[in-house]
Amino acid sequence: YLFFIVFIILSISSIYILNLNKKIFQFISNYIDYSKAKSFFLTDDICNKETLSSYLFFINTIISLFVCTLVVYFGPFKANEGILENFTELIFLIITLIAIISISKVNKNQIPNKIKKKIKFTLSIISILFFYIFGEEISWGQHIFEWESFGIFSNYNLQQETNTHNFLNSYFFIIYPLIGVGLFLCLLLIWFFPKRKSYFNQLFTPHPSLFFIAFTMAYVTFDGGRTEAYELLLSIFFLSYIIRIFICLNSPKKN
């Protein structure tokens, strides 16, 4: 760990001492239109908070690189599985609460009532979905109250917990890559081949500022022992997703 920290410090120092940051930027600018890239990743057409996309892009990219580096150098997160599970559970609960609170922000927007109903319905589905995921993560209270599993859960659940997803543990090595890569490919199609840009679609489509964390999520699924890393990134991805929706509803762009 100490060697890793020293290596990171020396690498960052070398970039600035040798002025590599400007050279790298000049090299990239020869192949990428910076203004268009900035507009794509860091601009949000429906939110009045102009810096929101920049913060989401920066924070999620840093988290993605950090988790990805830890996975590459130190392997699966088995040593800290309990801590990561508790942290992930808390994030899923926070997502549920933000989705519920966001429903109250819908009426403050000057949008047609028909669209308001669609937004409220979608937010309700999101809150129910993530409450279910939160319930599954805590085994519907078993992790908190430490009761014994019973019936079908003790006989057929691979971890003998009162949840449904652990019935499928043997297939996680297939399910996780399908979900991770499938989600990333779907987002690529939506981002780079956009269709009609309605307010509803822009609100509920994940913003391109989440590109790198979506890519990292797809990468870490190709090892059955890295499911904890994927679940951590997934929770952070959707936390950023619901925070953007909340802020867009609370501070809409006037147009």
Side-chain angles (χ1 to χ4, degrees), residues 2-248:
L2 180 60
F3 172 79
F4 177 71
I5 293 172
V6 172
F7 173 76
I8 292 296
I9 293 174
L10 290 176
S11 299
I12 296 173
S13 301
S14 300
I15 290 174
Y16 287 96
I17 292 173
L18 301 175
N19 206 23
L20 291 177
N21 55 321
K22 291 185 178 179
K23 295 178 181 178
I24 293 172
F25 180 79
Q26 290 174 356
F27 175 79
I28 293 175
S29 63
N30 293 329
Y31 301 95
I32 299 176
D33 189 328
Y34 177 73
S35 60
K36 289 184 179 179
K38 181 180 179 181
S39 176
F40 179 74
F41 289 108
L42 307 180
T43 302
D44 198 326
D45 295 332
I46 63 171
C47 185
N48 196 38
K49 301 293 184 180
E50 297 181 356
T51 59
L52 173 62
S53 298
S54 300
Y55 283 124
L56 291 177
F57 179 84
F58 177 77
I59 293 172
N60 283 282
T61 301
I62 293 298
I63 292 174
S64 301
L65 292 173
F66 180 72
V67 172
C68 190
T69 303
L70 290 180
V71 167
V72 170
Y73 278 91
F74 303 113
F77 289 0
K78 291 297 182 182
N80 298 312
E81 186 172 342
I83 298 173
L84 287 175
E85 278 190 352
N86 294 336
F87 184 66
T88 304
E89 292 164 4
L90 178 61
I91 293 179
F92 284 130
L93 177 60
I94 292 173
I95 293 171
T96 304
L97 296 175
I98 295 176
I100 294 172
I101 296 171
S102 298
I103 296 174
S104 64
K105 300 294 181 180
V106 177
N107 291 328
K108 296 182 179 180
N109 283 273
Q110 299 298 320
I111 54 179
N113 289 328
K114 185 177 180 180
I115 298 178
K116 286 183 179 180
K117 290 180 180 179
K118 287 176 63 177
I119 294 173
K120 288 181 178 179
F121 176 77
T122 305
L123 287 172
S124 300
I125 295 298
I126 291 173
S127 62
I128 293 171
L129 173 63
F130 281 97
F131 181 75
Y132 175 79
I133 295 174
F134 168 70
E136 283 286 296
E137 288 295 315
I138 63 171
S139 295
W140 300 102
Q142 185 178 18
H143 291 180
I144 299 174
F145 301 105
E146 299 182 351
W147 65 60
E148 294 291 330
S149 58
F150 53 88
I152 190 174
F153 298 105
S154 60
N155 294 328
Y156 298 103
N157 189 289
L158 295 181
Q159 292 186 1
Q160 295 187 331
E161 296 182 346
T162 52
N163 57 45
T164 57
H165 69 275
N166 282 331
F167 287 104
L168 305 173
N169 276 19
S170 300
Y171 304 99
F172 279 175
F173 74 98
I174 297 175
I175 295 173
Y176 274 67
L178 286 176
I179 295 175
V181 177
L183 175 62
F184 181 64
L185 292 178
C186 288
L187 290 176
L188 288 182
L189 291 174
I190 294 171
W191 288 333
F192 294 102
F193 301 96
K195 293 185 178 180
R196 184 172 60 91
K197 286 188 175 183
S198 67
Y199 175 79
F200 180 85
N201 290 341
Q202 290 186 76
L203 181 65
F204 287 103
T205 299
H207 193 268
S209 58
L210 303 178
F211 173 87
F212 286 105
I213 191 170
F215 171 77
T216 308
M217 285 162 53
Y219 161 71
V220 299
T221 57
F222 285 98
D223 186 331
R226 295 174 181 176
T227 57
E228 292 302 325
Y230 175 75
E231 290 177 3
L232 174 64
L233 290 171
L234 184 69
S235 64
I236 295 172
F237 175 89
F238 280 108
L239 178 61
S240 302
Y241 171 76
I242 198 65
I243 286 175
R244 174 187 172 266
I245 291 176
F246 173 79
I247 295 176
C248 287

